[in-house]
Amino acid sequence: MYEETNQTDKQDMASEQALAHKNTEKKKPEKGNSFAREMFSWIKVIVIAAVLAHIITNYVLINANVPTGSMENTIPSQTRMFGFRLAYQFSEPQRGDIVIFKYPDDERENYVKRVIGLPNETIDIIDGKVYINNSDTPLEEEYLKETWIVMNGSDTPLHFEVPENSYFMLGDNRNDSKDSRYWANPFVKEDKILAKAVFSYWPLSHASIFDTPNYQ
C-alpha cells in the first residue's frame, strides 16, 4: 500500500510538472504578443504625431526665415519666426501687419514685409514719407530703421494705386529693402498672403512678438 501511495504521488508530480511545462509553453507566445502590442502602440503614436505636425505646419502655422536685413530693426537678418495661417480667415490684413506672402514676381519664393497700402487706396511716397489717399499728413512710422533716403520719392514722387483685393508692401529698412517700390508686379493679392507673422523665436536674443502699430 505504501508503494501504491508513492507511485500515486509520483504520478501526481509528473502530472503537475507536465502541466507547468505546458503553461510555460503557453506563456511564451504572450511575450511576442506583448512586444507586438508595444510596437503597434509606438507606431500609432508616431503616425498620429506626424499627421498632427502635417496639419499644423500646412494649415495652422508657417515656419519662416528672413535671410536679409530688409526688415531691420524689427526683424534682424537670419531671424526665424512663426506665422499664423488662419489669421485672415475671418478678418482682413491691416495696415502695419507683418505678413508672409508669395513674392509676386516669382511665387516660388516667400517674402516677409509690412502691409502699408490697403485695397483701393492710393499711395504717394514723397521725400521719404508715405501719404495715403492724398492725405496732407504722412504716415507715422516709428519702426523704420533709419532716415529714409533711397528710392524715397525725393527726385520724383512715387505714386501707386492699389487694386481691389491687393496690398502694397514695404520693408522697415527702406534703404535696403526690395519691396513694392521695385517689383515688376508691385501688389500682393490677398489670396497670396500665407500668414500673419506672430513671433520670432531664433536667435533667442531677438525673440519677440510682432504687434500691429496704431497709426495716428
Side-chain angles (χ1 to χ4, degrees):
M1 183 157 182
Y2 179 74
E3 289 180 358
E4 288 179 359
T5 303
N6 276 346
Q7 190 173 0
T8 303
D9 289 342
K10 287 179 181 179
Q11 289 175 347
D12 290 343
M13 288 178 64
S15 298
E16 289 176 0
Q17 289 175 352
L19 183 61
H21 180 69
K22 189 178 292 186
N23 288 338
T24 302
E25 288 182 341
K26 286 182 179 178
K27 288 179 180 178
K28 281 182 181 178
E30 290 184 4
K31 284 188 177 180
N33 290 338
S34 175
F35 178 75
R37 283 197 298 270
E38 188 172 350
M39 283 296 296
F40 178 74
S41 176
W42 277 107
I43 291 171
K44 185 165 66 173
V45 168
I46 292 170
V47 169
I48 291 173
V51 170
L52 286 175
H54 175 78
I55 291 172
I56 290 171
T57 56
N58 286 278
Y59 300 100
V60 181
L61 296 177
I62 184 171
N63 187 14
N65 175 51
V66 179
T68 71
S70 66
M71 284 297 293
E72 291 178 347
N73 287 329
T74 308
I75 306 175
S77 174
Q78 302 304 322
T79 292
R80 298 205 66 86
M81 70 180 70
F82 280 120
F84 186 42
R85 291 182 181 273
L86 303 180
Y88 302 124
Q89 291 298 309
F90 304 104
S91 63
E92 304 295 324
Q94 301 299 307
R95 193 184 332 279
D97 285 355
I98 298 174
V99 295
I100 303 163
F101 56 91
K102 292 292 183 184
Y103 172 40
D105 290 348
D106 185 355
E107 292 189 359
R108 293 172 297 179
E109 296 184 46
N110 293 342
Y111 271 28
V112 177
K113 302 291 179 188
R114 192 182 293 274
V115 175
I116 297 298
L118 304 180
N120 302 311
E121 288 185 338
T122 61
I123 307 293
D124 289 287
I125 300 174
I126 305 170
D127 292 329
K129 300 291 183 182
V130 176
Y131 296 85
I132 309 293
N133 290 337
N134 300 313
S135 172
D136 294 328
T137 305
L139 201 64
E140 291 188 12
E141 300 186 277
E142 297 180 357
Y143 43 75
L144 295 188
K145 180 181 180 180
E146 57 196 5
T147 302
W148 183 4
I149 59 175
V150 177
M151 192 71 165
N152 69 347
S154 58
D155 296 327
T156 303
L158 306 177
H159 178 78
F160 301 90
E161 297 181 5
V162 187
E164 190 174 357
N165 299 320
S166 299
Y167 295 84
F168 183 84
M169 309 290 187
L170 292 176
D172 289 357
N173 185 4
R174 300 285 160 82
N175 295 323
D176 190 18
S177 173
K178 294 298 182 283
D179 45 41
S180 286
R181 293 170 293 165
Y182 297 92
W183 301 337
N185 301 288
F187 309 109
V188 177
K189 294 184 181 300
E190 185 172 357
D191 61 2
K192 299 302 179 181
I193 296 177
L194 302 176
K196 178 181 180 180
V198 179
F199 64 90
S200 60
Y201 64 88
W202 190 263
L204 291 176
S205 58
H206 292 104
S208 63
I209 296 173
F210 304 130
D211 294 321
T212 300
N214 291 319
Y215 295 104
Q216 299 300 322

